[in-house]
Amino acid sequence: MEFLRKTEHQERSRIILRSIVALARELGMPTVVEGVETSQQVRDLTQIGCDIFQGFYYSRPVPVADFEERFPDGLARPWSEPVQAEK
């Protein structure tokens, strides 16, 4: 999540993320990005090649029972309307 924050080191963070994603692809591993809060982050991370996202953009944390009810097959999909994080 820290790599997604806007800081003076944002370009360095993007370089590190691109390198991690490239390494994961070389090893045949999917990438999971936590802390995604904005549609711009989803676009940027998709462009980098990330596979799976989680964070407030898709849903606030939910109790296990609610998650299991929403995803009975165990496969999580984004909510129909992304939830924007409160700033």
Side-chain angles (χ1 to χ4, degrees):
M1 185 170 158
E2 288 300 316
F3 287 109
L4 303 180
R5 295 203 193 286
K6 290 191 180 232
T7 69
E8 71 251 23
H9 304 293
Q10 188 170 2
E11 185 53 33
R12 291 180 71 151
S13 293
R14 289 181 59 78
I15 292 168
I16 293 168
L17 280 172
R18 283 194 302 262
S19 298
I20 291 169
V21 171
L23 177 61
R25 289 222 180 272
E26 284 288 318
L27 295 172
M29 299 170 63
T31 54
V32 179
V33 182
E34 298 177 345
V36 177
E37 296 181 351
T38 68
S39 59
Q40 184 63 51
Q41 289 173 338
V42 172
R43 284 191 295 274
D44 291 346
L45 294 164
T46 299
Q47 186 177 20
I48 290 172
C50 297
D51 300 303
I52 302 168
F53 310 104
Q54 73 177 52
F56 281 173
Y57 179 72
Y58 294 103
S59 172
R60 299 214 185 305
V62 296
V64 172
D66 292 349
F67 182 88
E68 290 172 342
E69 182 178 322
R70 169 100 168 111
F71 306 108
D73 59 2
L75 299 174
R77 291 172 283 297
W79 300 95
S80 58
E81 290 292 323
V83 176
Q84 293 298 322
E86 295 178 16
K87 299 288 178 178

